[in-house]
Amino acid sequence: MLAEMLLTHTVLIYAFIGFLLLGFLVPMVKKEPLAFKKASFIYTMVFQAIITMILFSGIVALIVGELDFNVPIIVMIAVFAVMMGIEISKHKKIKKANLEDEATLNLMRSGFTKASVFNLIVLVAITIFMMVVAKG
């Protein structure tokens, strides 16, 4: 059972990395303010759904496998909190911004891309860290 849960956790992480890469298309494809706002909302909801599935599968693996609550697990939980915080703050800024102003729209597109880059860097770094920890 533990092997299946860890496999599920790993597959979800790789799918999430792919989703983050596809997220770079949102500011490039959606040029109108309302379309960008809607696409950003959908992106945020899918982001939160996938990252919550990753968290849930990790918690189930932790409990089922009777794994120790050690530093790598604490780091993974902290990464979840950081990534979720970045995504929520990005979404709130886009939601409240006056996107009819061209300068604000460009600023929000830039912020969307920067947040996506930061989230991707954090996720890839923790993935590499966990691979190194697993190899011993």
Side-chain angles (χ1 to χ4, degrees):
M1 178 79 170
L2 178 62
E4 289 88 4
M5 284 312 303
L6 291 175
L7 178 64
T8 302
H9 190 71
T10 303
V11 168
L12 284 169
I13 289 170
Y14 291 138
F16 190 53
I17 290 172
F19 174 75
L20 287 176
L21 290 173
L22 286 175
F24 287 109
L25 295 175
V26 171
M28 288 186 257
V29 173
K30 299 301 179 183
K31 300 295 183 192
E32 294 96 30
L34 185 60
F36 175 68
K37 190 178 265 191
K38 286 181 181 180
S40 172
F41 175 73
I42 292 168
Y43 176 86
T44 299
M45 294 305 113
V46 174
F47 178 99
Q48 290 175 348
I50 295 173
I51 200 168
T52 303
M53 285 188 281
I54 292 170
L55 177 71
F56 182 75
S57 67
I59 290 172
V60 170
L62 178 71
I63 293 170
V64 168
E66 297 176 2
L67 302 173
D68 294 331
F69 194 74
N70 52 18
V71 174
I73 302 236
I74 293 169
V75 169
M76 284 188 281
I77 293 170
V79 164
F80 166 79
V82 166
M83 291 180 72
M84 192 65 91
I86 291 168
E87 189 63 28
I88 290 170
S89 68
K90 176 184 79 174
H91 175 68
K92 281 186 175 184
K93 287 179 183 175
I94 291 173
K95 184 178 177 181
K96 292 181 181 182
N98 177 14
L99 297 180
E100 295 301 323
D101 180 36
E102 188 67 30
T104 306
L105 179 60
N106 290 334
L107 183 66
M108 290 298 111
R109 279 193 189 131
S110 172
F112 188 100
T113 304
K114 288 175 186 174
S116 295
V117 166
F118 189 70
N119 275 332
L120 187 62
I121 289 170
V122 168
L123 185 62
V124 169
I126 189 67
T127 302
I128 291 170
F129 171 72
M130 292 309 295
M131 286 178 177
V132 169
V133 168
K135 298 284 183 199

